[in-house]
Amino acid sequence: MCIRIAVVDDLPTIAHWDPDEVTILVNRGTHPHDLIRELHAILAVDLGAPAIPGAGLFCFCGTRVELPSEFTVTALPAGASIL
């Protein structure tokens, strides 16, 4: 079974591993960069998932872990400014 990521409100940390539900709970409103760092620590360090630089996040079973849609970044059109 692959890990599921669920977004919740009022979590006291950025992310929390729930082994009973095979779920990582993620605090809504967390900055995506902070979230990725925290998820990497949970997946690779705590759970022993493969850590391949630049390849994304992986479950300990080897399946790619996708971020919830509210944390994904959409590409800007060519010539658009981020400021």
Side-chain angles (χ1 to χ4, degrees):
M1 175 183 283
C2 191
I3 292 174
R4 183 175 71 92
I5 297 178
V7 181
V8 297
D9 291 316
D10 301 322
L11 195 64
T13 59
I14 291 173
H16 174 76
W17 166 240
D18 180 352
D20 294 332
E21 298 294 327
V22 192
T23 302
I24 297 175
L25 301 174
V26 173
N27 197 18
R28 187 180 316 278
T30 299
H31 191 280
H33 293 129
D34 296 332
L35 175 61
I36 290 169
R37 249 192 322 263
E38 192 71 18
L39 288 176
H40 176 266
I42 291 171
L43 292 167
V45 178
D46 296 342
L47 301 177
I52 304 166
L57 300 168
F58 288 89
C59 176
F60 51 81
C61 70
T63 304
R64 185 177 175 90
V65 174
E66 299 294 330
L67 294 178
S69 61
E70 69 186 78
F71 291 104
T72 57
V73 178
T74 55
L76 293 173
S81 173
I82 60 171
L83 298 178

